[in-house]
Amino acid sequence: MSAQPIPERVTAAAEGDVVVFLIGMRINRLRAVRHWLPALRAMPRMLKELSRDENSGLLGYQALAGSPRGLTVVQYWGSREKLLAYAADRNKEHRPAWADFNRRARGSEGSVGIWHETYVVPAGSYESIYSGMPKQGLGKAYGVEPVAKRGERAAERFASAGGRAHGVSA
């Protein structure tokens, strides 16, 4: 069973910039198992490796099933530099998995697709609230605190995060 819900209203205890990395795959040809199965298996290995290393920069993640053919993983990182360092490190799981994917993709005729997006969200440009939920997303990555500490309303939470967000003033 999943974690216990927190009955109170809480918000993420994130400070400063937040790095959000979205990565996913889509199985385009179900019968082409030899092309998509290695890509599907690579992500859990990388997440396990990152989770074991407290200095990796990965703060938390959540896998989301968007469709029967697709999978997305939302990741929260301590910095853009840590994310890029992991991606480039030849001694970590990512580089061999990426090379393997590219080799397989050349002969796969689009059997599997992968994608990623990276967002560096400046302080003051994010806010969160969780009510009756186990720790999720940003709150799971950074921990949570009582919502009253940052404000009962979204505009107050934006302002307490140290900046202006589209039309929100302090």
Side-chain angles (χ1 to χ4, degrees), residues 1-5 134 136:
M1 179 159 234
S2 65
Q4 289 295 314
Q136 294 287 311

Side-chain angles (χ1 to χ4, degrees), residues 5-127:
I6 302 168
E8 301 85 25
R9 290 168 25 120
V10 294
T11 187
E15 298 287 339
D17 294 351
V18 170
V19 178
V20 182
F21 180 68
L22 307 176
I23 186 165
M25 68 172 284
R26 182 178 190 278
I27 299 168
N28 295 323
R29 292 191 176 91
L30 290 172
R31 292 183 184 187
V33 176
R34 69 188 173 102
H35 293 292
W36 57 259
L37 188 59
L40 183 65
R41 286 183 169 165
M43 183 55 68
R45 286 194 314 267
M46 287 184 263
L47 292 171
K48 187 180 287 186
E49 174 181 63
L50 287 161
S51 296
R52 283 192 308 251
D53 179 2
E54 62 186 41
N55 295 316
S56 70
L58 180 69
L59 302 176
Y61 66 89
Q62 186 167 354
L64 306 172
S67 71
R69 291 177 178 237
L71 175 69
T72 299
V73 179
V74 180
Q75 300 178 8
Y76 299 93
W77 285 78
S79 71
R80 169 182 37 205
E81 292 75 21
K82 293 262 188 172
L83 171 62
L84 295 173
Y86 178 73
D89 192 331
R90 295 181 185 278
N91 298 314
K92 302 292 185 184
E93 290 283 341
H94 175 264
R95 287 296 296 255
W98 180 238
D100 183 57
F101 175 81
N102 283 318
R103 270 192 307 279
R104 290 175 183 280
R106 283 191 281 278
S108 75
E109 299 175 353
S111 297
V112 61
I114 61 169
W115 62 276
H116 81 254
E117 298 172 356
T118 308
Y119 303 94
V120 178
V121 186
S125 297
Y126 57 86
E127 70 85 29

